[in-house]
Amino acid sequence: MTVAVYPGSFDPVTYGHLDIVERASRVFDRLIVAVLINRSKTPLFTVEERVALLKEATKHLANVEVDSFTGLLVEYMRRRGARAIVKGLRAVTDFEYEMQMALINKNLDPSIETFFMMTSKEYSFLSSSIVKEVARYGGRVDDLVPPCVVEALRRRFADPGGPIEFC
């Protein structure tokens, strides 16, 4: 069984992320969408909130699991029995950074392979940062993120310190 990991911050998950998740879930036997816990960043949503939003958005995919991790990706992959990393690419600038990461991961564990997937053209402009910026100023993001994320963004910006109740 081929287990792959799709790592990221997913703050929040977008339709671009889900495009990669759905396509990768058709390629690999099992796909773990892994939320990276990065202590140096201040995300809009907590790790628990991001995991919950991803679980809601991927519940229709039987071979997709959502998890979180901290530390080195290759160590997490060893613990989970995964041998493949899935990375979504939007532009050439994404490739430059992701190629460096793929090479360092290969150096740390030669048995791990990285698979790059180009995002579908309708999502090539989309990023979590853009979604947060549009939502922060009351713009419509319904066509950029799943309904549960639209609601979570609305609630977060209405009450920045308040809890997010999920769909």
Side-chain angles (χ1 to χ4, degrees):
M1 177 189 322
T2 307
V3 180
V5 173
Y6 178 27
S9 58
F10 306 105
D11 186 40
V13 60
T14 69
Y15 281 138
H17 295 127
L18 294 176
D19 173 55
I20 299 296
V21 169
E22 289 181 2
R23 290 169 41 220
S25 75
R26 294 191 299 264
V27 174
F28 298 99
D29 298 318
R30 194 165 109 227
L31 179 67
I32 302 169
V33 181
V35 177
L36 171 63
I37 301 169
N38 187 340
R39 307 260 185 242
S40 66
K41 290 189 177 181
T42 307
L44 181 63
F45 295 105
T46 67
V47 170
E48 295 77 20
E49 290 168 338
R50 288 179 275 158
V51 166
L53 289 168
L54 276 160
K55 284 181 178 181
E56 175 66 23
T58 61
K59 67 184 179 186
H60 64 288
L61 300 168
N63 66 332
V64 172
E65 174 187 343
V66 179
D67 195 10
S68 63
F69 75 101
T70 187
L72 290 174
L73 176 58
V74 294
E75 293 297 328
Y76 173 76
M77 293 181 66
R78 285 183 193 129
R79 289 193 305 271
R80 299 304 312 269
R83 291 273 146 277
I85 300 169
V86 173
K87 296 301 288 192
L89 300 176
R90 293 171 298 186
V92 172
T93 52
D94 287 347
F95 178 74
E96 291 175 19
Y97 173 78
E98 294 300 348
M99 183 180 72
Q100 289 177 334
M101 295 306 297
L103 292 173
I104 194 65
N105 286 330
K106 190 73 163 167
N107 185 61
L108 292 170
D109 188 335
S111 71
I112 291 177
E113 296 293 340
T114 300
F115 292 83
F116 297 110
M117 296 184 81
M118 294 304 302
T119 190
S120 295
K121 64 182 177 184
E122 63 267 30
Y123 305 119
S124 62
F125 69 93
L126 185 55
S127 71
S128 294
S129 298
I130 288 173
V131 167
K132 288 184 283 193
E133 193 69 12
V134 171
R136 177 176 283 115
Y137 293 104
R140 211 176 132 263
V141 294
D142 304 66
D143 55 342
L144 307 177
V145 295
C148 60
V149 176
V150 172
E151 183 60 22
L153 285 164
R154 187 189 64 71
R155 290 179 185 200
R156 177 54 35 95
F157 289 122
D159 182 8
I164 300 297
E165 293 179 24
F166 297 100
C167 331

